[in-house]
Amino acid sequence: MTETIINLETVNPIDFFGVNNGKLDILKKKFPLLKILSRGTQIKLSGAPEQIAEAKEKINLIVSYIERNGHLSENYFDQILGGDDMETIDHFQERNPNEVLVFGPNGKSVRARTANQKKLVQEAEKNDILFAIGPAGTGKTYTAVALAVRALKNKQVKKIILTRPAVEAGESLGFLPGDLKEKIDPYLRPLYDALDDMIPADKLGYYMTTRTIEIAPLAYMRGRTLDNAFIILDEAQNATDLQLKMFLTRIGANAKAIITGDMTQVDLPRNQKSGLQTAVRILQNIPGISHIELDEEDVVRHRLVKAIIKAYHKEHEELEQRFPKEYHPKSQG
């Protein structure tokens, strides 16, 4: 007799075991020769090795289905356990698994939707550091967060760290109400919004409490070594040379980093230079570091956002031609 423990950390135990353990009872009836115990987010199997192997295969298929769809009825649960033919298994397996990055609450699928977003995914998989540069709405941050959540679910990393420079975009932090956290959180809200789309609220709360997922201003990264982590620096155009160097040198063993930014939205004071363009320039041709540019063709927000970006880009180009010395919106980077 052998024993094995299967972790169910990526799904809500109620979705797997059912109300009043209704699904667990079905599992026990399907495998009467096994001793099956549930312990929190774990399930323990005891019995013959071949029986355990069969049950484990079915349980993994069930977990995969719940991760994608957020719910599994008792009828489907019973079908997965009882169906040994390939048609049944294929019905419940993920189709085009490489296209979907992560399944969020209620089965919402998050995937790379444009050519450059798909390139971003490919480059992130091949490199440990990736610079993703592009205008608002191109999905660079959203795609990066999806990659981080996927890495965490697949146990490729132990934690996710999301960070942004807390730069005042036309407002003064000192005049905002509340304590430091309440003043900083609005700058980090887009990162929370992305996570809300990909992780159920209760699970996200648990990850935040245990610091498995950490969201913090860039200044909080100083002095740390970030091992076994997926790290995202968002709005990197608002980081100075020293800040960006500090961030890049935090990266430890078995860590990946994606740095996103938009050089047309630098909010630093005029006497401070953005470190993003410098970093992209001097870190070229280093194995393991990649760089990708997204453009208005990658915009996945409202249809008018693409037109707005084009209009501003045209205006910037015209002003640069007319006033080459006085007008350099990109010279800050």
Side-chain angles (χ1 to χ4, degrees), residues 260-280:
T260 70
D262 176 3
M263 290 311 306
T264 68
Q265 295 193 34
V266 177
D267 297 318
L268 290 167
R270 287 192 173 274
N271 62 341
Q272 284 191 322
K273 180 182 177 183
S274 171
L276 180 57
Q277 198 169 53
T278 302
V280 170

Side-chain angles (χ1 to χ4, degrees), residues 31-276:
F31 294 96
L33 300 180
L34 289 180
K35 183 179 180 182
I36 302 174
L37 299 174
S38 62
R39 295 178 177 176
T41 59
Q42 293 182 333
I43 186 167
K44 182 180 178 181
L45 307 176
S46 303
E50 60 274 12
Q51 284 277 312
I52 289 179
E54 182 182 354
K56 188 175 181 180
E57 181 181 359
K58 297 292 187 180
I59 290 170
N60 287 337
L61 192 58
I62 290 169
V63 169
S64 178
Y65 186 92
I66 296 174
E67 284 178 345
R68 297 197 310 272
N69 299 284
H71 176 70
L72 178 65
S73 68
E74 286 193 5
N75 182 39
Y76 273 11
F77 191 92
D78 187 63
Q79 285 186 45
I80 293 176
L81 291 177
D84 293 322
D85 58 287
M86 288 307 299
E87 184 178 349
T88 301
I89 294 173
D90 181 67
H91 176 72
F92 290 102
Q93 280 182 329
E94 180 181 336
R95 289 163 178 77
N96 302 320
N98 293 329
E99 291 185 5
V100 178
L101 299 178
V102 66
F103 285 90
N106 303 317
K108 176 181 178 179
S109 62
V110 178
R111 66 183 73 216
R113 295 167 58 182
T114 70
N116 280 330
Q117 287 178 9
K118 291 176 182 178
K119 186 178 178 183
L120 190 160
V121 172
Q122 294 168 357
E123 291 299 308
E125 289 173 345
K126 293 187 294 185
N127 298 276
D128 287 337
I129 297 176
L130 173 66
F131 290 88
I133 315 299
T138 51
K140 53 190 183 296
T141 300
Y142 199 78
T143 305
V145 172
L147 285 169
V149 172
R150 184 180 70 172
L152 183 65
K153 283 190 172 184
N154 292 341
K155 295 182 172 58
Q156 295 171 334
V157 297
K158 294 182 179 179
K159 56 190 173 185
I160 296 173
I161 297 174
L162 310 175
T163 185
R164 271 184 157 197
V167 174
E168 303 172 13
E171 299 179 27
S172 175
L173 280 175
F175 287 98
L176 293 176
D179 58 19
L180 179 60
K181 183 180 185 302
E182 291 169 330
K183 291 179 179 183
I184 291 296
D185 270 358
Y187 290 96
L188 307 174
R189 176 46 53 188
L191 300 174
Y192 286 104
D193 291 343
L195 288 171
D196 286 339
D197 276 358
M198 302 175 199
I199 302 175
D202 56 341
K203 194 68 177 178
L204 180 57
Y206 170 77
Y207 281 150
M208 299 287 286
T209 301
T210 59
R211 298 179 73 83
T212 302
I213 295 180
E214 181 181 349
I215 304 178
L218 178 58
Y220 285 35
M221 298 298 107
R222 190 175 301 278
R224 300 179 62 182
T225 300
L226 307 175
D227 296 329
N228 302 303
F230 201 116
I231 315 150
I232 297 173
L233 171 57
D234 193 35
E235 300 286 354
Q237 76 276 2
N238 289 327
T240 64
D241 281 332
L242 289 176
Q243 287 176 324
L244 205 42
K245 178 184 177 183
M246 178 272 292
F247 171 80
L248 291 169
T249 54
R250 300 306 93 202
I251 299 170
N254 191 39
K256 275 186 176 287
I258 296 181
I259 299 94
T260 70
D262 176 3
M263 290 311 306
T264 68
Q265 295 193 34
V266 177
D267 297 318
L268 290 167
R270 287 192 173 274
N271 62 341
Q272 284 191 322
K273 180 182 177 183
S274 171
L276 180 57

